[in-house]
Amino acid sequence: SINRALETVPDNEPFCYFGKDVVFDSAWLTYAELCFNKHYPTGLGLISFKDDIVDGGNASHGMTTKRWLEVLYGYNHFPLDYFHWFCDSELTVRSKDFGRYTFCADSYVAHKHEPSGHTGKPNQPDDYLTQNARHVEWANGGKREAEARLRAIQ
């Protein structure tokens, strides 16, 4: 769903992604924009919000740009390999590897963490296997490729 929505977003325009189980504080976006623009004026990074669950450990909900996704993945959308878990974790880890991840504690979005409703479906990918395979790919040349993409656009 997020990737379909991203088709209309300009590459350098910050966008946010969320699950269906968050409640937004009235000033969350103001603080998020201030934080993002302060740390990543070129749009090359990731911020997460205070959510009372992860609080900076992972960008379960975050703000970034398609341009940053292009650096990290080689394409300007989220990976299509995952069924439900770890896409946000992978984005966080890769952003941290570049020193381009910031926890924006002033931007508050309460994460109510409802049950996902997902059940095991035999024709769906195993996200644990996907996560491991993508980690190996990152460690064995993927990060170097991303570094080259970052150098080319700076």
Side-chain angles (χ1 to χ4, degrees):
S1 298
I2 294 171
N3 284 334
R4 282 193 300 263
L6 285 180
E7 292 174 8
T8 63
V9 176
D11 285 352
N12 213 32
E13 181 75 24
F15 69 87
C16 296
Y17 59 91
F18 296 95
K20 64 180 181 169
D21 55 356
V22 294
V23 177
F24 301 95
D25 183 73
S26 62
W28 78 272
L29 184 57
T30 299
Y31 288 120
E33 289 174 329
L34 288 170
C35 184
F36 191 83
N37 291 330
K38 174 184 174 185
H39 292 281
Y40 309 112
T42 62
L44 299 173
L46 170 68
I47 68 166
S48 67
F49 316 110
K50 179 169 177 50
D51 68 359
D52 291 337
I53 293 178
V54 180
D55 289 343
N58 185 53
S60 299
H61 316 284
M63 178 184 276
T64 191
T65 62
K66 287 171 41 177
R67 190 170 175 229
W68 184 236
L69 299 179
E70 177 76 38
V71 167
L72 295 180
Y73 302 123
Y75 42 83
N76 64 1
H77 55 81
F78 287 95
L80 303 175
D81 312 54
Y82 294 104
F83 172 59
H84 180 70
W85 293 293
F86 305 127
C87 191
D88 55 349
S89 303
E90 181 177 297
L91 176 60
T92 303
V93 167
R94 289 183 179 201
S95 295
K96 285 180 177 181
D97 280 353
F98 280 94
R100 292 176 182 257
Y101 171 74
T102 301
F103 171 53
C104 185
D106 293 332
S107 183
Y108 182 59
V109 295
H111 188 183
K112 299 302 182 182
H113 212 279
E114 298 173 2
S116 69
H118 291 285
T119 58
K121 296 182 181 179
N123 294 329
Q124 297 299 332
D126 181 332
D127 284 347
Y128 290 98
L129 293 176
T130 300
Q131 178 190 36
N132 290 335
R134 291 181 61 84
H135 174 74
V136 168
E137 175 188 292
W138 181 250
N140 291 314
K143 183 179 180 196
R144 284 190 306 278
E145 292 171 7
E147 289 168 339
R149 287 189 294 270
L150 180 58
R151 281 192 305 274
I153 65 170
Q154 287 186 339

